[in-house]
């Protein structure tokens, strides 16, 4: 079930609900890729549990790269089309979505995290171009 707070947040945002849900899933994918399986990274957590929070933390750059990989895995060559439909056209858009959820209490951050961490992480045309999508999908050719 989708939390009512998330639905309400999407109603007041330039990004649709699907973009928020996708970023949540992309965060989970990224945390699992970097730190292995564990608790869902998007759940609000007691501030007393900072040690675990820090151990499963991902930077803005890591999250952008993880979301990019997740988008390509989910949508292949259509990833840029899907993201564009959600008004996600730059890595900064991932940051804005994340920080809207942080402000709503639906995600957490460390004191060092900043929305600017998502600025210009990659060029969307290059990151989601055919070469990037094919490279992520096809195994490397043995030489």
């Amino acid at each position: 079930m989708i939390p009512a707070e998330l639905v309400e947040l999407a109603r007041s945002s330039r990004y649709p609900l699907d973009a928020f849900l996708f970023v949540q899933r992309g965060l989970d994918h990224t945390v699992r890729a970097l730190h292995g399986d564990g608790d869902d990274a998007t759940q609000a957590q007691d501030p007393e549990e900072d040690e675990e929070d820090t151990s499963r933390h991902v930077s803005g750059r890591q999250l952008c790269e993880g979301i990019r990989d997740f988008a390509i895995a989910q949508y292949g060559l259509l990833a840029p089309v899907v993201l564009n439909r959600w008004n996600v056209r730059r890595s900064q858009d991932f940051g804005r979505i994340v920080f809207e959820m942080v402000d709503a209490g639906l995600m957490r951050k460390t004191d060092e995290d900043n929305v600017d961490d998502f600025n210009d992480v990659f060029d969307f045309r290059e990151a989601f171009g055919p070469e990037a999508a094919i490279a992520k999908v096809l195994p490397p050719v043995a030489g």
Side-chain angles (χ1 to χ4, degrees):
M1 189 161 115
I2 300 170
E5 299 88 1
L6 188 58
V7 172
E8 195 60 37
L9 175 61
R11 283 187 183 139
S12 65
S13 175
R14 69 179 286 216
Y15 304 104
L17 179 60
D18 286 337
F20 287 96
L21 294 171
F22 178 77
V23 167
Q24 282 186 323
R25 291 176 54 217
L27 172 61
D28 190 52
H29 166 84
T30 304
V31 168
R32 289 176 193 276
L34 293 173
H35 302 293
D37 288 335
D39 293 332
D40 181 2
T42 61
Q43 292 179 352
Q45 188 171 354
D46 186 338
E48 299 290 322
E49 299 178 17
D50 283 339
E51 186 176 320
E52 181 179 333
D53 190 34
T54 302
S55 70
R56 296 183 58 75
H57 179 263
V58 296
S59 70
R61 174 172 289 283
Q62 289 171 319
L63 182 53
C64 281
E65 292 170 352
I67 290 173
R68 176 199 59 211
D69 294 348
F70 184 65
I72 291 170
Q74 293 295 303
Y75 303 112
L77 293 172
L78 291 177
V81 174
V82 173
L83 294 170
N84 185 57
R85 182 179 172 107
W86 296 336
N87 300 317
V88 177
R89 298 176 181 102
R90 303 175 301 164
S91 59
Q92 290 92 319
D93 290 314
F94 293 139
R96 289 183 181 127
I97 291 169
V98 165
F99 274 81
E100 284 187 30
M101 286 193 279
V102 167
D103 291 344
L106 298 168
M107 272 189 183
R108 57 186 183 267
K109 70 174 194 74
T110 67
D111 291 338
E112 293 78 32
D113 293 328
N114 187 299
V115 71
D116 293 335
D117 298 340
F118 294 83
N119 290 351
D120 303 317
V121 172
F122 47 71
D123 178 274
F124 254 53
R125 279 177 275 156
E126 290 176 17
F128 294 104
E131 298 85 12
I134 292 169
K136 292 286 181 193
V137 175
L138 294 177
V141 177

